[in-house]
Amino acid sequence: MSFVPRRLLVLTLLAPLLVQAAPAPWYYWRSLVDGQRVCAQTSPGPGWEQDSTPHEGPGCQPRRKVLIVPMR
């Protein structure tokens, strides 16, 4: 097997993974011990439960609204 077809095979196998790549959503997590809330993309560990719907902005910030003003 030559070098170029091998590269093409690897690229073909990895292409679906590259298409699905996206940043993980942010969630609020609540402590089961004292009720404290933190914002993180993944669970802080055992003893925490997810406490919100996913936020698309970084750090649990809402997505910015973009106003489009039509030209006259």
Side-chain angles (χ1 to χ4, degrees), residues 23-69:
W26 292 79
Y27 297 95
Y28 276 112
W29 298 87
R30 181 177 303 280
S31 169
L32 297 175
V33 176
D34 62 1
Q36 180 183 1
R37 287 178 67 180
V38 297
C39 178
Q41 289 179 311
T42 59
S43 173
W48 293 83
E49 67 181 1
Q50 188 176 323
D51 191 39
S52 73
T53 58
H55 295 274
E56 293 183 12
C60 295
Q61 297 297 317
R63 178 182 249 180
R64 290 186 179 176
K65 294 182 180 179
V66 178
L67 299 176
I68 299 174
V69 180

Side-chain angles (χ1 to χ4, degrees), residues 10-22:
V10 170
L11 182 62
T12 304
L13 293 175
L14 292 178
L17 298 176
L18 297 174
V19 171
Q20 295 176 0

